[in-house]
Amino acid sequence: MTVSKVDIARAAIRAGTFSGHTSGIARDHVQGNIVILPQSLASDFLRFCQRNPKPCPVLAVSEPGDPMLPKLGRDIDIRTDVPRYRVWRRGELIDESTDIRKLWRDDLVTFVIGCSFSFEQALLDAGLSLRHIDQNRNVAMYRTNIQTEPAGPFHGPMVVSMRPLRAADAIRAIQVTSRFPDVHGAPVHIGDPSLIGIKELSLPDYGDAVEVMRDELPLFWACGVTPQAAITQARPEFCITHAPGAMLITDLLNHQLAAF
Amino acid sequence: MTVSKVDIARAAIRAGTFSGHTSGIARDHVQGNIVILPQSLASDFLRFCQRNPKPCPVLAVSEPGDPMLPKLGRDIDIRTDVPRYRVWRRGELIDESTDIRKLWRDDLVTFVIGCSFSFEQALLDAGLSLRHIDQNRNVAMYRTNIQTEPAGPFHGPMVVSMRPLRAADAIRAIQVTSRFPDVHGAPVHIGDPSLIGIKELSLPDYGDAVEVMRDELPLFWACGVTPQAAITQARPEFCITHAPGAMLITDLLNHQLAAF
């Protein structure tokens, strides 16, 4: 039996010896944003995702109480296989951890939501350069004036990530990311940031600012931080998420998500 | 035997009773730009098209001396089935006509080049509005500083057509037109016109100006006028083209050109 990169990464994450950012690790594999909620809120949250598929593309939902995600990997155990977790009570961050076995409950439901790492890999494979990767920064993210469709207690603004590209590359990036609807798909906006309520590109709400050159257009993609923002506003009794950038690495290949 | 819209239109064109613009006529059918050249220049021109597929997507090339185009229609005769022709000698327009039977020669080769009418229909079908159509104007076209790849005597700048759209519609338009590589495909540019050498959007080189609103982006597609501009520069001994807007209507359906 061959041991793959994803097996090595998962073993280190499971043992707690790797608890960092997963960008660039097992880069051909789909990674996911994680939201774990009590069953009492799960159907509202799933409806929220269904109504907002661009920021909240659901790759998998677990059975209540079951920590396994067989659709995403042979042996994924969501209690150990995320590098770093954040634990929330009533919308307040109360702990960070590399293992949530002691916190597990029979009513918890896991949501795995597509992540831009997949489409970024597709953009790099297409020969495009992404400035935040070249500069080893986190992508710039902004709250917009685009409202999500609410469901139950979940509501709030769409959060977007921004990548600057020259026009021909921008057109190519729209084509490439359109192939990946399960990981945010095509951009939601291009050009003038003020049209979606962003006042100042140099002041992102999350992540790091990157410069937009005079011959470039800013492109804005729906972002997986949107559901976390909605959860913070909904203040659920209990919730576990991944820590920013420390994603679940799945067995799925990015290419398997390509729509055409 | 049912008589279709395309049969009715072709009969009127063939009889010389219709010699106008074909925009909106048999709108589900592929229309084509026409270039007819002596065989001595045909291989250079075909190579020019091969090297510049976005402005010059070749739908069909006839056999030398054969006026029929069986790939594009059961009974198309290129000598009668274009509403209005232009006849050129050494790059000078010498005549317009609705019938070129008397000018036909055994060495003439017909090129049919894809036309934006097909992708405009796809954009309208996708629910987008196109201002030049709403305002019943010809599309605005511009010479750019993007040089075509030369072949033999054929060379010159790429000509583009411009359509203004709001950002979300611009992204959708890039997706929709990407499906149609045989009729110019995705835009070649979006945003700042000066980056492709266009000084003043209100002064198109061909067609009619349309306004670009503050919340819109101009999108620029490679245009079928590019080969005509290259032919004007090459000054071939003899050449016949369609008159602007008076296209060959084929039996092909636009949907048949969709790549995915």
Side-chain angles (χ1 to χ4, degrees):
Chain A
M1 184 177 157
T2 27
V3 177
S4 69
K5 280 183 186 168
V6 68
D7 291 328
I8 295 167
R10 194 173 295 150
I13 290 165
R14 189 171 290 174
T17 54
F18 180 86
S19 61
H21 286 205
T22 50
S23 172
I25 293 178
R27 59 176 70 229
D28 293 338
H29 283 260
V30 174
Q31 300 193 15
N33 299 281
I34 301 301
V35 172
I36 302 170
L37 284 167
Q39 194 178 355
S40 57
L41 283 164
S43 73
D44 281 342
F45 186 70
L46 186 54
R47 212 162 63 256
F48 179 77
C49 294
Q50 188 277 327
R51 289 179 183 170
N52 299 284
K54 292 206 81 166
C56 311
V58 177
L59 295 176
V61 185
S62 75
E63 294 299 312
D66 185 349
M68 307 308 279
L69 291 157
K71 191 182 153 194
L72 299 185
R74 198 172 15 88
D75 71 341
I76 290 175
D77 183 332
I78 200 62
R79 300 170 301 181
T80 53
D81 291 357
V82 171
R84 181 172 291 271
Y85 301 85
R86 287 185 158 181
V87 184
W88 309 79
R89 287 201 192 273
R90 307 208 177 284
E92 302 292 326
L93 178 64
I94 59 160
D95 197 15
E96 281 204 2
S97 170
T98 63
D99 185 324
I100 55 165
R101 277 177 294 187
K102 288 186 181 153
L103 297 169
W104 194 253
R105 304 179 352 188
D106 281 349
D107 69 336
L108 292 181
V109 178
T110 303
F111 295 83
V112 184
I113 292 169
C115 154
S116 61
F117 290 170
S118 295
F119 80 63
E120 287 186 344
Q121 190 57 42
L123 293 172
L124 298 174
D125 289 346
L128 303 187
S129 292
L130 297 173
R131 184 159 300 129
H132 71 284
I133 291 177
D134 291 344
Q135 299 184 343
N136 201 24
R137 298 184 193 181
N138 195 353
V139 73
M141 291 165 276
Y142 306 87
R143 282 190 290 270
T144 67
N145 64 9
I146 305 169
Q147 290 303 307
T148 58
E149 291 282 322
F154 301 104
H155 67 281
M158 188 188 293
V159 178
V160 295
S161 60
M162 188 280 288
R163 294 162 188 82
L165 291 167
R166 294 176 67 181
D169 289 344
I171 292 163
R172 188 77 187 122
I174 291 170
Q175 294 178 317
V176 169
T177 57
S178 293
R179 300 182 65 214
F180 294 94
D182 286 343
V183 288
H184 305 306
V188 294
H189 186 62
I190 178 170
D192 186 351
S194 73
L195 294 172
I196 56 170
I198 299 172
K199 290 195 178 63
E200 182 50 63
L201 279 185
S202 64
L203 298 171
D205 295 302
Y206 313 89
D208 304 320
V210 296
E211 201 176 352
V212 181
M213 305 301 178
R214 210 196 67 72
D215 62 351
E216 292 178 332
L217 292 156
L219 280 83
F220 300 91
W221 278 268
C223 177
V225 170
T226 306
Q228 292 207 22
I231 287 163
T232 309
Q233 296 210 353
R235 302 172 65 82
E237 164 268 296
F238 183 66
C239 178
I240 301 170
T241 67
H242 66 289
M247 304 291 177
L248 175 70
I249 301 174
T250 76
D251 287 2
L252 294 184
L253 296 171
N254 292 325
H255 292 305
Q256 292 178 267
L257 298 186
F260 43 80
Chain B
M1 183 176 158
T2 25
V3 178
S4 70
K5 279 184 189 168
V6 70
D7 290 329
I8 295 167
R10 193 173 298 150
I13 290 166
R14 189 171 290 174
T17 55
F18 181 84
S19 61
H21 287 207
T22 50
S23 173
I25 293 178
R27 59 177 69 233
D28 294 338
H29 283 260
V30 174
Q31 300 193 16
N33 298 282
I34 301 301
V35 172
I36 302 171
L37 283 167
Q39 193 177 356
S40 58
L41 284 164
S43 72
D44 282 341
F45 186 70
L46 185 55
R47 212 163 63 256
F48 179 77
C49 294
Q50 188 278 327
R51 289 178 181 170
N52 299 285
K54 293 205 81 167
C56 312
V58 177
L59 296 176
V61 184
S62 75
E63 294 299 312
D66 185 349
M68 307 308 281
L69 292 158
K71 193 183 153 194
L72 300 185
R74 198 171 15 87
D75 71 340
I76 290 175
D77 183 332
I78 200 62
R79 300 170 301 180
T80 54
D81 291 358
V82 171
R84 180 172 293 269
Y85 301 84
R86 286 185 160 183
V87 185
W88 308 79
R89 287 201 191 273
R90 307 208 176 284
E92 303 292 325
L93 178 65
I94 58 160
D95 196 15
E96 280 204 2
S97 171
T98 62
D99 184 325
I100 55 164
R101 277 178 293 187
K102 287 186 182 153
L103 296 169
W104 194 253
R105 304 179 353 188
D106 279 350
D107 68 335
L108 292 180
V109 177
T110 303
F111 294 84
V112 183
I113 293 171
C115 155
S116 60
F117 291 171
S118 295
F119 79 64
E120 288 186 342
Q121 189 57 43
L123 293 171
L124 297 173
D125 290 346
L128 303 186
S129 291
L130 297 173
R131 184 158 301 130
H132 71 284
I133 291 177
D134 292 345
Q135 300 184 343
N136 201 25
R137 297 184 194 182
N138 195 353
V139 73
M141 292 166 274
Y142 305 86
R143 280 190 291 270
T144 69
N145 64 9
I146 305 168
Q147 289 303 306
T148 57
E149 291 282 323
F154 300 105
H155 68 282
M158 188 188 293
V159 177
V160 296
S161 60
M162 188 280 287
R163 293 163 188 81
L165 291 166
R166 296 176 67 182
D169 289 343
I171 291 163
R172 188 77 189 121
I174 290 169
Q175 293 177 318
V176 169
T177 57
S178 292
R179 301 182 65 213
F180 293 94
D182 286 342
V183 287
H184 305 306
V188 294
H189 187 63
I190 178 172
D192 186 352
S194 73
L195 294 173
I196 55 170
I198 299 171
K199 290 194 178 65
E200 182 51 61
L201 279 185
S202 64
L203 298 171
D205 295 302
Y206 312 89
D208 304 320
V210 295
E211 202 176 350
V212 181
M213 305 303 178
R214 212 197 65 76
D215 62 351
E216 292 178 331
L217 292 156
L219 280 84
F220 300 90
W221 278 268
C223 177
V225 171
T226 306
Q228 291 207 22
I231 286 163
T232 309
Q233 297 209 352
R235 303 174 64 80
E237 166 264 300
F238 183 66
C239 177
I240 300 170
T241 67
H242 65 290
M247 303 292 179
L248 176 70
I249 302 174
T250 76
D251 287 2
L252 293 183
L253 294 171
N254 292 324
H255 292 305
Q256 291 178 268
L257 296 187
F260 42 79

